[in-house]
Amino acid sequence: MTRLLLLNGPNLNLLGTREPGIYGAQTLEGIERRAVQLASEQGFELVCFQSNAEHELIARIQQAPAQSVGVLIFNPGAFTHTSIALRDAVLAVHVPMIEVHLSNPQAREEFRRRSYFSDIAIGVISGFGALGYELAVRAACGHLAAGDPARQRARASS
Ligand code: DQA
């Protein structure tokens, strides 16, 4: 069965208490619970993983094809602006990726304006807080359904 993988990078485990004026009041646990529920309503399993360590995120990305991950939803946190290694991991596995940010990095400090992921993502969602994850799950499910002949037939006949 095709799965979705929701990956969150450094400091996102602190959501809820971390700079709530920028990142909102929702915890990562709450965001993940909602994402799992939304995906399951659309008929997909969603697996969540957060790490503060670049090598652990790379390992999860490398495992994605063997774990039947069809779309990766990724908030790389500060690694967005620094990590060629994570970019290379995404490129290596050929799993479509949606980049998510709670804040809008383009409207913040200069050093946040460069992303190593935006040009290799199928889409980028930023600036909508926790809602961005819900939008990403919907987009990911739509992307998977569009590539699934059985679902295409079901849609065409409804
Ligand atoms: C972030 C934006 C990054 O610049 C920052 O380093 C984060 C969170 C966001 O979700 O808005 O850790 O990815």
Side-chain angles (χ1 to χ4, degrees), residues 43-136:
F44 294 102
E45 184 188 348
L46 182 142
V47 177
C48 304
F49 182 74
Q50 185 277 333
S51 178
N52 296 319
E54 192 176 29
H55 70 98
E56 288 183 1
L57 295 165
I58 292 170
R60 284 307 281 246
I61 293 168
Q62 289 185 359
Q63 289 161 13
Q67 295 178 343
S68 305
V69 173
V71 177
L72 172 63
I73 299 170
F74 194 15
N75 183 347
F79 288 144
T80 305
H81 320 296
T82 62
S83 183
I84 297 170
L86 278 166
R87 174 192 172 91
D88 284 351
V90 174
L91 286 172
V93 295
H94 298 293
V95 175
M97 183 265 298
I98 298 174
E99 179 183 351
V100 177
H101 300 284
L102 293 134
S103 67
N104 176 5
Q106 295 302 319
R108 298 180 63 194
E109 301 97 323
E110 180 72 37
F111 62 82
R112 293 187 204 275
R113 295 201 189 138
R114 179 176 68 180
S115 167
Y116 279 108
F117 299 88
S118 299
D119 65 312
I120 60 167
I122 53 177
V124 182
I125 300 169
S126 61
F128 297 108
L131 174 65
Y133 288 94
E134 296 187 22
L135 298 173

Side-chain angles (χ1 to χ4, degrees), residues 2-3 5 9-10 16 18 21 24 36 49 54 64-65 96 100 129 136 153 155:
T2 308
R3 299 189 171 92
L5 174 62
R18 176 192 180 197
V36 167
F49 182 74
E54 192 176 29
V100 177
R153 278 196 299 278
R155 260 210 318 272

Side-chain angles (χ1 to χ4, degrees), residues 132-148:
Y133 288 94
E134 296 187 22
L135 298 173
V137 172
R138 289 186 193 282
C141 292
H143 185 82
L144 286 177
D148 177 341

